[in-house]
Amino acid sequence: MAPHRARRRRIRRSGRRTLVYTVVASAVLVGGTAAGAVYVKAQAHDRGSLISSPSASAASSPPSQEASVEPVTEPTVDRDALLAKAMKAVALENGAAVSVAVFDIDSGEGAAYGEGAFDTASIVKVDILATLLLQAQAADRHLTAAEKTYATAMITNSDNASASALWDIIGQADGLDAANERFGLTGTSGGDGALWGLTQTTAADQLTLLQQVFGDDSELSEASRTYLQGLMGEIAADQHWGVSAAADGTRWALKNGWLARSSTGLWDINSIGRVTVDGDEYLVAALSNGNTTKAKGISVVEAAAKAAVAAFGSA
C-alpha cells in the first residue's frame, strides 16, 4: 500500500466543464436543434491548406478566403446528480445521516452529497498531524523522535493517547484552526479543550484536507506530504474498512474514525482517503452519524464511497 502522490486541483462542484472546438468552413453537419445549435466535424489540414471530403468540396471556401470558426459546446455531465442517484441505494437507519464528497484526481472534477457538520472522531488525526508538520515547517525543524512515535501510533493504530499528546503540542483547537485556515478549510472547528474527537467538519472540508495531503499544490512540503501519505498507507489490518471498499485492489491510503456518543449511544462512523479504481485515482471523504451500531455505520460509509466512485464510472 505504498503512497501514491497526486496532483492537487481544487474541487469544481458538479464537474460541469465546457470544451470549445474550432470548426472550419468545410465542416460536415452532423446534428442540430430547433434553436439552430449544431454539432459539426472539422476536416484535417495539410501544410496550411484545407483538405475537404468530396461531398464538402463544393461548399468549401476558396483557399484565399479566411475560414470561419464557430464554438460548439460539448454536453456536460452533472456529477452531483449522478452521485445523488447512486446514493439512493445507500440504506440509512431512521435518524442517521451521511455526507460524501469525491474528487477525480485525473480530470479535476468533483461531486458532493449531503450537508451539515459531523463529529470527526478519529479522522481528525490526519488534520492533527498535518498541523504539526505545517508548524514544524514554519519553525524550520524536523519532528522529534517522540513526535514521530506519536504520529505513527496515532495514524496507523489510531492510538488516542498519542493523538492527545500531539493535540497538546499543536496548541489544541487554536493550533488546528490556524492551520486549517492555511489549508483552506472553511467549515471545520476544533473540539473544546481535550475533546479533539468532537472537532466539527464537513465532507467538503475533508476533501480539501485530502488535497493538501495528496496534491502538489499544498501548504505542506513534499517531504511532509510523503510522510503523511506513507502512514495512511500502513493502517493496521483491523482498520481495513471504509473508503478502501471502493478501491479495486490494495492501492489505497486512509484514516477511519468511529465514536459512540455517550449521550445517545449512537455511532459516528467516518472514513477519508485516496483510492485507485481501474487505474483512476479518487480522493473520497464519507461521514455519517446516528448509526445504531459500528458495523451499520461502516456499511453506510463503504456504500457511500462506492457510490461516489460510481458517479464517475457511470458516464
Side-chain angles (χ1 to χ4, degrees), residues 109-144:
E109 294 183 273
Y113 172 89
E115 298 178 346
F118 292 74
D119 301 327
T120 56
S122 285
I123 61 170
V124 75
K125 293 169 181 175
V126 173
D127 204 358
I128 291 173
L129 182 51
T131 297
L132 177 66
L133 291 167
L134 188 65
Q135 291 178 348
Q137 287 175 201
D140 194 24
R141 71 172 182 86
H142 298 291
L143 298 190
T144 67

Side-chain angles (χ1 to χ4, degrees), residues 66-92:
E66 181 180 352
S68 63
V69 294
E70 180 182 348
V72 176
T73 301
E74 182 186 65
T76 58
V77 177
D78 189 337
R79 299 295 180 185
D80 280 346
L82 289 174
L83 176 54
K85 181 179 179 180
M87 285 296 293
K88 291 180 179 179
V90 178
L92 282 178

Side-chain angles (χ1 to χ4, degrees), residues 1-285:
M1 294 175 287
H4 191 86
R5 293 211 322 277
R7 303 180 305 277
R8 174 175 175 260
R9 304 186 180 115
R10 290 287 180 186
I11 182 171
R12 296 195 292 273
R13 291 292 302 276
S14 300
R16 300 177 186 271
R17 298 184 299 170
T18 302
L19 301 180
V20 177
Y21 297 83
T22 301
V23 181
V24 297
S26 62
V28 179
L29 181 65
V30 297
T33 68
V38 297
Y39 283 7
V40 290
K41 180 171 67 178
Q43 302 299 309
H45 290 76
D46 181 22
R47 293 190 178 95
S49 298
L50 185 64
I51 301 176
S52 302
S53 63
S55 62
S57 296
S60 298
S61 300
S64 60
Q65 295 183 5
E66 181 180 352
S68 63
V69 294
E70 180 182 348
V72 176
T73 301
E74 182 186 65
T76 58
V77 177
D78 189 337
R79 299 295 180 185
D80 280 346
L82 289 174
L83 176 54
K85 181 179 179 180
M87 285 296 293
K88 291 180 179 179
V90 178
L92 282 178
E93 300 177 280
N94 289 335
V98 64
S99 181
V100 63
V102 57
F103 180 75
D104 182 344
I105 292 173
D106 211 26
S107 71
E109 294 183 273
Y113 172 89
E115 298 178 346
F118 292 74
D119 301 327
T120 56
S122 285
I123 61 170
V124 75
K125 293 169 181 175
V126 173
D127 204 358
I128 291 173
L129 182 51
T131 297
L132 177 66
L133 291 167
L134 188 65
Q135 291 178 348
Q137 287 175 201
D140 194 24
R141 71 172 182 86
H142 298 291
L143 298 190
T144 67
E147 288 171 340
K148 288 182 178 179
T149 298
Y150 289 141
T152 298
M154 178 179 71
I155 300 297
T156 63
N157 294 313
S158 203
D159 183 68
N160 290 337
S162 295
S164 294
L166 292 183
W167 179 250
D168 289 339
I169 290 173
I170 67 170
Q172 298 188 345
D174 288 343
L176 189 83
D177 292 346
N180 283 341
E181 185 173 355
R182 292 270 306 275
F183 292 146
L185 279 64
T186 59
T188 300
S189 57
D192 293 336
L195 301 177
W196 46 260
L198 295 185
T199 295
Q200 297 295 292
T201 195
T202 64
D205 259 17
Q206 288 304 299
L207 203 60
T208 298
L209 178 63
L210 288 172
Q211 288 177 287
Q212 288 288 317
V213 175
F214 292 96
D216 293 332
D217 182 14
S218 172
E219 295 292 326
L220 296 174
S221 67
E222 181 178 2
S224 293
R225 297 194 308 272
T226 299
Y227 177 66
L228 187 41
Q229 290 170 26
L231 293 178
M232 292 178 69
E234 298 173 357
I235 300 300
D238 63 342
Q239 296 170 38
H240 288 188
W241 51 265
V243 297
S244 58
D248 59 8
T250 59
R251 294 186 63 189
W252 50 261
L254 62 77
K255 183 67 192 79
N256 297 323
W258 58 98
L259 174 67
R261 295 305 307 269
S262 58
S263 58
T264 63
L266 299 176
W267 286 81
D268 298 327
I269 303 293
N270 306 319
S271 184
I272 61 173
R274 187 217 69 229
V275 300
T276 302
V277 184
D278 296 330
D280 296 323
E281 293 188 320
Y282 303 90
L283 302 179
V284 183

